[in-house]
Amino acid sequence: MRVPSRPRGSARLPLGALGALPAVVPAVAIAQPAARGTITGRVTEQGSGRPLADAQVIVVGTQIGAQTGPDGTFRIAGVPAGPVVLRALRIGFRATTQSVTVPSGGSVVAALALASAPTSLEQVVVTATGGTQRQREQGNAVAQITPDTVALAAVPNVAGLVNGRAAGVSVVGVAGTTGTGARIRIRGANSLSLANDPLLIIDGVRINSDPNSYSPGTGGQSASRLNDLLPEDIEDVQILKGPAATGLYGTQAANGVIQITTRRGRQGAAQWNAYAEAGAVNDRNTYPANWGAYGLFADSTGALTVRSRGCDLATQAFGGCKQDSVINFNPMVVHSPFRTGPRLKGGANVSGGSERSTYYLSADYTSEDGVYQTNALRQASVRANVTARPTSTLDVATSAGFVRSQLQLPRNDNDYFGYVSNGVGGLAYDNAQQGYDPVGPNVIDRLQSGQDVNRFTGSVTATYRPLAWLSVIGVAGLDNVNRFDNQTYPPGVIPPGFFGLDVGYRESDRFTINTSTANLSAVATRQLSGAITSTTTAGFQYQRDDSRGTTGSALGLAAGTSSLSGGVSQFTVGEPFARNALVGGLAQEQVAVRDRLFVTAGLRADKNSAFGQNFGTVYYPSANASWVVSDEPFFPKPDALNSLRLRAAFGRSGLRPGVNDALRYYRPTAARVNGNEQSGITIGNLGDPNLRPERTSEFETGLDLTSFGSRANLELTYYNKRSSDALVLVPSPPSSGFPAQYRNLGAVSNRGLEALLTLVPIRTDPVAWTSTFNFSTNRNRLLKLGLPSPVIFAGGRQRHQVGYPLGGYWGPKITYADSNKNGVIEPNEVVIADSDSFLGNSLPTRTLGWTNDVTLLKWLRFSALVDYKGGFKQYNSTEDFRCQLARCQGINDPTSSLDRQAKSIASNVDGVATGWIESADFVKLRELSLTATLPTEFARRARARAMSVTVAGRNLHTWTNYSGIDPEVNSVGASNFAQSDFLSQPQVRYITVRVNLSY
């Protein structure tokens, strides 16, 4: 594989990007600095006068600022002498400004008061360079999630924290197995061939978030690296939803970006927080019974005299038997494989510091047992974040996190040795395997699939302010994952006949995956006049991914052995390796007029080692505008309208090809020459020297409206994005013997609406109620395929077809009629269409999250999250499979509904499954919690200053018309498009009790 040590143009790239910076750097930059002074002061809440900690105070038009301590005080040194404007802002409050005059070599005192507001345009958003901007300055929508102790009690992982809380973000949990991931899509799917998962950045460092991070086969379920992050360590989650917001992030950002900022220390005495959680993981799903039927079959004379099983409705309709009774048995209930899995969690953190340095330290241990004997997670996490301010012009922030996890995964989905597959696909009667078929839990419980992970993620961010108007930001970081995947089938456990696995099997795979990040940028802010401020940003970025592995497997284990060394046959070895390097430069200019109109333009340029050798540099332009109309003097000031902002943005970003897609390479193969076996080669990939990245362009526009004294806040966004140069796998002529080849041929579009509405119906001392709705729609279409045929099959009943959504369901429609009025659908009464039709989307096209937060008497807090996903279908492959085996109710029971009988006949007789592609719209009571803040005397007994107890539940109830067990599953895990409900473990219920203590 080709990894250029210095990609073409890379040496010129950062210089070209930085070339914009001198335009705003006057010649006086080399002159002696002007005399400076100090500003001290305090930030309080308007009305109550209580001090506000963690408020940001900045000198407008400069890069100078400070953060308030626990008592609301701040100190800003190195301020240019003369009149300046201070701005104070904090999440949950409206920003305010104050003018002061700084004496040369002296000090001045300021006092700022902030008014409360549920949402604010002053919220700070992290930029691509590691700097920050206020939300009012950005022309694109940014979703922000700030976890608290209430939310944390109801979510087991980061995917759960994001689910249902952001418009335009669809999170679908693919299984209820502990330790597995979820499929996250932001504003639909952009690519046919590349992953559609968003880019994940933590503290400025790009990290691995692979949702399919497990190499041995366990059906469709897999570990997710997103689960390595501890939700308790998260300060803030910001979701940038598309190229209009991620243009400066360049290649790999077309699917959106999730930026996570971990907690930081606060100036003041050490603040200790501890928590302990205990709970249970339960399976409360309803599993279908296995059905059968008895009847009279023909004897040697042709008379119906022999009574036996197997007289289903189809066999009876063809005259093969006469049914006399129906039986059913449910091994999942009678011999349940499930347990109540305990969940235990405990941890503590401490933060504090001085004006010169602050710290945040945390430790956590989580133990969770899934609903199967073979499913468990043990995870220990530690984190140390330290910020030092050695001088008034230099800040250095370090972030270091380490996690050690051990995961056991069960077999499930399309697997011979899965619990659900053997139970739901089992027998209609009890037997030696307890009704399971072909093996029971006594076998499955002894099969071992595990993963051990040691992971370190660290970053260093240095911010240097040599001049009041200039900041230089450097970020360096590393995400290191050491992963050990293993699987063992002890000898003599699996019955003979299963691919020779009865002699025992061992697989052992070790991987080291490194993601390196290095960013350098400069930000210059100048007050060009009393009304106009210019902010120029230029930067350079370098990123590299390295993945190395050693894999091995063997059959024929010696008794008592669980390592490769105990194997005696069919040894296989592998040494996978992949590397990708990216070099990028960026420049951006923003002009602000009276802090109410902001116009921004930027350009990103990238080179990547995955591009074809004939392709040079890719450029990603971006532009946006934000206008806070309500701040204009001409805007009327009605009591019902507090603020109004109009915004629009355009941007382009991309996705790189696969690491080796552009390369021609060969594979080893055995060849026989003169009767002797020798090594040979075959073409492994044709490659394409002109291969380009997929490029996605997006336009979005919208408004933000606050009314009725900030009791109603509305954010509306319309987006339209188009992906061009989409990679399509082009088959070679069969006669050539060559493999298929990726080429830039396709085009995909996504467009939709997003709405975020926050209401505060009640805001009094005894009762406070906040209700938030986030709603989104998405219309996805394949515009161009570039092949003679307008269709690519995406697996199963899904295909990519021009003019329709990616991964849509297709098949012949089924109609039926009980022509003879006997109450039973017979094969000749089912009509199968002659051609395939589009049946529906495989991904949700509508999402709605509804959260409510009610506080009573300041000590009792009730929270709930309702999650809706609609406009999509699910393939109930489980029932299709059971009907093919004549074990479903519809093919056996004449009292079942006519619709179910018709779909069952189509599966069993005609082999047509499309009747089981059903509407999967659902509403889930996703979270419910009740928190009591205990009186001070209770806290004192625990030697704490504050104490609260939270009782929480997750996945408490589902409303749906889907006939399967759970519409929110996928037997193919967090795959790109493949979607089906095939013998999968449904979502499980969590009930937890959490105690929080503050010292």
Side-chain angles (χ1 to χ4, degrees):
M1 57 205 61
R2 175 178 52 82
V3 183
S5 59
R6 192 177 76 181
R8 293 182 302 278
S10 62
R12 297 187 299 274
L13 193 59
L15 296 178
L18 289 168
L21 187 59
V24 297
V25 182
V28 296
I30 60 175
Q32 293 296 319
R36 302 188 181 192
T38 302
I39 304 175
T40 60
R42 196 178 192 210
V43 178
T44 59
E45 181 182 33
Q46 185 175 309
S48 68
R50 69 181 179 92
L52 292 179
D54 303 329
Q56 292 191 355
V57 184
I58 62 173
V59 179
V60 175
T62 75
Q63 295 292 316
I64 301 174
Q67 192 173 47
T68 60
D71 57 355
T73 61
F74 66 90
R75 181 178 183 273
I76 307 175
V79 184
V84 299
V85 177
L86 285 180
R87 179 186 295 120
L89 50 138
R90 188 181 188 275
I91 293 177
F93 294 83
R94 294 194 194 95
T96 190
T97 60
Q98 181 182 349
S99 298
V100 297
T101 301
V102 180
S104 177
S107 178
V108 65
V109 178
L112 301 102
L114 302 182
S116 174
T119 61
S120 173
L121 297 178
E122 310 305 323
Q123 295 184 38
V124 173
V125 178
V126 179
T127 66
T129 61
T132 60
Q133 281 184 331
R134 291 172 297 158
Q135 193 158 314
R136 70 157 51 208
E137 301 177 39
Q138 297 194 322
N140 51 269
V142 178
Q144 291 192 297
I145 302 171
T146 304
D148 59 18
T149 55
V150 175
L152 294 175
V155 296
N157 49 46
V158 174
L161 180 64
V162 175
N163 190 11
R165 290 183 168 88
V169 181
S170 174
V171 181
V172 178
V174 297
T177 304
T178 290
T180 55
R183 182 158 57 185
I184 302 176
R185 296 291 180 266
I186 299 177
R187 292 182 175 176
N190 298 310
S191 178
L192 290 84
S193 306
L194 302 176
N196 285 286
D197 305 289
L199 181 65
L200 185 62
I201 297 175
I202 296 181
D203 293 333
V205 173
R206 190 166 57 91
I207 74 162
N208 183 316
S209 58
D210 186 1
N212 293 298
S213 181
Y214 187 68
S215 51
T218 54
Q221 303 181 29
S222 184
S224 171
R225 296 281 62 85
L226 189 61
N227 293 342
D228 295 339
L229 184 62
L230 184 67
E232 280 78 5
D233 283 337
I234 296 177
E235 179 80 27
D236 178 67
V237 179
Q238 298 175 357
I239 302 176
L240 311 180
K241 301 178 185 178
T246 63
L248 289 186
Y249 291 78
T251 307
Q252 295 300 92
N255 297 325
V257 176
I258 298 178
Q259 293 190 138
I260 295 176
T261 302
T262 58
R263 296 185 183 275
R264 294 286 168 180
R266 301 291 185 261
Q267 182 180 337
Q271 303 289 316
W272 288 86
N273 296 284
Y275 53 88
E277 181 180 303
V281 183
N282 291 288
D283 187 297
R284 290 291 182 264
N285 297 287
T286 301
Y287 292 85
N290 300 315
W291 290 75
Y294 279 92
L296 298 176
F297 290 81
D299 58 17
S300 58
T301 67
L304 297 175
T305 60
V306 179
R307 190 170 187 271
S308 179
R309 289 192 301 265
C311 187
D312 55 73
L313 298 178
T315 304
Q316 177 177 255
F318 285 117
C321 66
K322 181 175 178 57
Q323 190 181 91
D324 60 23
S325 63
V326 176
I327 61 172
N328 67 77
F329 182 73
N330 197 328
M332 302 292 286
V333 174
V334 180
H335 303 294
S336 173
F338 301 115
R339 65 179 177 183
T340 297
R343 174 176 168 84
L344 300 173
K345 184 180 181 69
N349 59 68
V350 59
S351 63
S354 64
E355 183 181 340
R356 289 292 188 186
S357 64
T358 58
Y359 59 88
Y360 170 84
L361 307 174
S362 73
D364 176 276
Y365 180 76
T366 300
S367 171
E368 179 177 312
D369 289 344
V371 295
Y372 297 118
Q373 297 291 331
T374 53
N375 186 204
L377 174 67
R378 305 291 182 264
Q379 182 171 291
S381 304
V382 293
R383 175 165 290 277
N385 292 350
V386 178
T387 301
R389 301 174 182 86
T391 71
S392 61
T393 60
L394 178 63
D395 298 342
V396 180
T398 62
S399 175
F402 179 79
V403 60
R404 162 70 172 165
S405 70
Q406 295 176 304
L407 174 65
Q408 290 180 305
L409 285 172
R411 308 300 297 259
N412 239 313
D413 309 297
N414 184 17
D415 196 298
Y416 277 107
F417 310 120
Y419 293 94
V420 178
S421 55
N422 281 271
V424 173
L427 304 174
Y429 50 89
D430 209 346
N431 69 346
Q433 283 78 40
Q434 300 179 322
Y436 290 83
D437 184 36
V439 297
N442 61 321
V443 171
I444 304 172
D445 285 346
R446 297 180 63 185
L447 307 182
Q448 304 165 18
S449 299
Q451 180 180 83
D452 293 348
V453 170
N454 291 301
R455 183 175 190 178
F456 170 81
T457 304
S459 67
V460 178
T461 302
T463 304
Y464 177 51
R465 296 176 295 275
L467 300 169
W469 49 269
L470 179 64
S471 289
V472 179
I473 305 169
V475 181
L478 173 68
D479 178 28
N480 171 259
V481 179
N482 286 290
R483 200 179 93 202
F484 173 42
D485 301 343
N486 59 90
Q487 194 169 75
T488 304
Y489 303 159
V493 172
I494 295 176
F498 289 94
F499 315 105
L501 295 175
D502 56 298
V503 299
Y505 172 79
R506 173 66 174 176
E507 183 173 351
S508 177
D509 305 331
R510 295 184 181 272
F511 297 91
T512 298
I513 305 169
N514 289 323
T515 302
S516 305
T517 300
N519 302 338
L520 180 65
S521 61
V523 182
T525 302
R526 296 307 306 267
Q527 198 74 34
L528 301 182
S529 69
I532 300 177
T533 303
S534 167
T535 302
T536 303
T537 303
F540 163 83
Q541 294 188 343
Y542 174 77
Q543 296 170 349
R544 196 172 89 171
D545 298 312
D546 287 286
S547 176
R548 297 176 181 270
T550 302
T551 64
S553 64
L555 279 174
L557 298 184
T561 302
S562 59
S563 69
L564 288 177
S565 59
V568 297
S569 65
Q570 295 191 28
F571 285 94
T572 62
V573 296
E575 192 174 2
F577 167 72
R579 172 175 291 173
N580 178 255
L582 177 145
V583 177
L586 57 90
Q588 178 178 276
E589 172 66 24
Q590 181 186 87
V591 176
V593 181
R594 294 186 176 87
D595 200 40
R596 62 187 73 140
L597 174 63
F598 304 88
V599 179
T600 305
L603 180 66
R604 166 88 183 215
D606 276 356
K607 288 190 67 66
N608 192 290
S609 60
F611 298 166
Q613 62 181 2
N614 293 342
F615 182 77
T617 301
V618 61
Y619 296 93
Y620 302 114
S622 61
N624 67 78
S626 173
W627 185 21
V628 187
V629 186
S630 55
D631 284 358
E632 296 289 357
F634 62 78
F635 191 81
K637 306 294 182 184
D639 294 337
L641 182 61
N642 304 116
S643 69
L644 172 64
R645 178 172 75 123
L646 305 178
R647 49 185 166 78
F650 167 82
R652 180 176 292 168
S653 57
L655 293 174
R656 66 164 173 81
V659 174
N660 298 321
D661 288 347
L663 303 179
R664 172 171 291 192
Y665 58 84
Y666 302 88
R667 297 186 186 277
T669 186
R672 205 160 185 85
V673 180
N674 297 325
N676 298 316
E677 192 171 89
Q678 298 183 9
S679 61
I681 59 171
T682 60
I683 294 180
N685 187 55
L686 287 174
D688 182 358
N690 299 310
L691 205 63
R692 306 182 295 276
E694 295 189 356
R695 285 177 278 195
T696 302
S697 301
E698 180 184 56
F699 170 77
E700 75 169 57
T701 185
L703 60 85
D704 303 321
L705 178 69
T706 302
S707 57
F708 301 107
S710 297
R711 287 178 179 265
N713 301 271
L714 175 65
E715 179 184 294
L716 283 175
T717 303
Y718 166 78
Y719 66 89
N720 190 336
K721 63 178 178 177
R722 176 185 170 117
S723 299
S724 58
D725 289 335
L727 290 180
V728 176
L729 190 61
V730 180
S732 298
S735 60
S736 70
F738 293 151
Q741 178 186 30
Y742 278 108
R743 297 179 61 190
N744 298 100
L745 299 175
V748 179
S749 74
N750 287 274
R751 66 173 185 262
L753 292 171
E754 297 169 354
L756 176 65
L757 176 63
T758 302
L759 301 174
V760 187
I762 303 175
R763 189 167 58 196
T764 64
D765 282 340
V767 180
W769 174 22
T770 301
S771 186
T772 302
F773 300 83
N774 70 77
F775 175 75
S776 64
T777 66
N778 176 263
R779 185 179 186 273
N780 174 267
R781 289 293 182 270
L782 174 60
L783 301 179
K784 185 177 70 171
L785 198 53
L787 297 175
S789 169
V791 178
I792 291 180
F793 290 94
R797 304 295 187 270
Q798 295 174 257
R799 65 175 67 164
H800 306 312
Q801 181 158 332
V802 174
Y804 293 90
L806 294 177
Y809 287 115
W810 290 78
K813 291 186 177 180
I814 298 172
T815 57
Y816 64 91
D818 184 14
S819 303
N820 57 14
K821 306 299 182 184
N822 66 347
V824 177
I825 298 297
E826 299 173 359
N828 62 356
E829 295 174 328
V830 177
V831 178
I832 310 296
D834 294 330
S835 60
D836 289 352
S837 300
F838 173 69
L839 302 176
N841 291 269
S842 60
L843 294 174
T845 61
R846 300 186 300 271
T847 65
L848 172 67
W850 179 28
T851 59
N852 282 278
D853 197 300
V854 179
T855 302
L856 303 175
L857 302 175
K858 297 183 179 181
W859 68 272
L860 194 61
R861 180 178 172 186
F862 169 83
S863 298
L865 169 61
V866 176
D867 183 16
Y868 161 78
K869 291 182 174 62
F872 73 114
K873 298 290 184 71
Q874 172 69 286
Y875 173 29
N876 188 354
S877 184
T878 296
E879 201 65 7
D880 176 29
F881 176 69
R882 282 158 38 88
C883 290
Q884 290 181 42
L885 297 178
R887 295 177 183 179
C888 68
Q889 182 179 6
I891 201 68
N892 287 287
D893 184 6
T895 67
S896 60
S897 70
L898 298 183
D899 182 69
R900 181 171 286 270
Q901 289 183 45
K903 293 189 292 188
S904 303
I905 287 288
S907 291
N908 184 274
V909 177
D910 302 294
V912 175
T914 47
W916 297 111
I917 297 175
E918 308 173 357
S919 171
D921 294 15
F922 68 85
V923 176
K924 285 200 176 190
L925 180 55
R926 187 69 72 182
E927 297 173 13
L928 193 64
S929 65
L930 182 65
T931 299
T933 302
L934 303 183
T936 305
E937 53 266 28
F938 283 92
R940 287 175 179 168
R941 293 178 184 177
R943 299 184 178 181
R945 59 181 174 84
M947 181 177 182
S948 66
V949 178
T950 299
V951 180
R954 184 170 185 82
N955 298 329
L956 297 177
H957 190 72
T958 301
W959 295 269
T960 183
N961 292 324
Y962 177 64
S963 69
I965 305 171
D966 183 2
E968 193 187 19
V969 295
N970 188 11
S971 62
V972 201
S975 62
N976 214 18
F977 289 105
Q979 175 72 42
S980 70
D981 171 10
F982 187 43
L983 308 170
S984 305
Q985 169 58 42
Q987 295 291 313
V988 294
R989 178 181 297 176
Y990 286 79
I991 302 292
T992 57
V993 178
R994 184 183 180 107
V995 178
N996 296 286
L997 299 167
S998 298
Y999 296 90

